Amino acid sequence: MGGQSKQSIMHKESSGKRRPGKIASWLLIELMIYSVFVAAYFFVVLLFLQDWLKHLYDAHKDIYAVIALPLIIGQAALLHFVSLALRKLGGEKLE
C-alpha cells in the first residue's frame, strides 16, 4: 500500500462520492415540489384556458396542437429551472 494507512485510502475513496441518503432526500423534495407545480399548472390551465382550449380543439385541431406544444414545453422548462434552483440551494455542484 505504499505507506498509506487504510483510513486515508478509505477517506479518498469516499470523498468523491455522493451519499445515497442525501440524493434520495433531495429527490423526494424535488418530487414533492414538482407534484405541487404540476397540479397548480393543471388547475390554472383548466381554470383559465379550459373553454378556449376545448373550443380550439373542437374547431381547429392543427392550431390546438401548435398552442398545446408551447404549454407543455413551458411547463417542462419551469420544472427544470425549479430543479436547478433546488440543487443550487442544496449545495450540489451543477454540471
Side-chain angles (χ1 to χ4, degrees):
M1 298 256 160
Q4 292 182 343
S5 70
K6 186 176 180 180
Q7 210 172 30
S8 69
I9 291 173
M10 289 178 66
H11 178 69
K12 285 182 182 178
E13 289 176 355
S14 65
S15 65
K17 296 182 181 179
R18 298 179 185 165
R19 293 187 352 235
K22 186 176 182 180
I23 293 172
S25 66
W26 278 104
L27 179 63
L28 287 174
I29 291 169
E30 282 187 42
L31 285 175
M32 288 188 308
I33 292 174
Y34 278 2
S35 64
V36 169
F37 276 116
V38 168
Y41 177 82
F42 177 74
F43 287 116
V44 165
V45 167
L46 277 181
L47 182 66
F48 293 111
L49 300 177
Q50 178 184 14
D51 295 331
W52 182 68
L53 286 174
K54 175 71 171 132
H55 172 71
L56 198 59
Y57 178 79
D58 291 337
H60 309 283
K61 285 190 175 57
D62 51 345
I63 297 173
Y64 170 80
V66 171
I67 298 297
L69 191 58
L71 287 173
I72 294 167
I73 293 171
Q75 178 186 9
L78 175 69
L79 292 177
H80 175 72
F81 288 122
V82 167
S83 176
L84 287 176
L86 285 174
R87 289 180 183 157
K88 190 173 183 179
L89 286 173
E92 183 178 324
K93 291 182 182 177
L94 301 177
E95 299 174 28

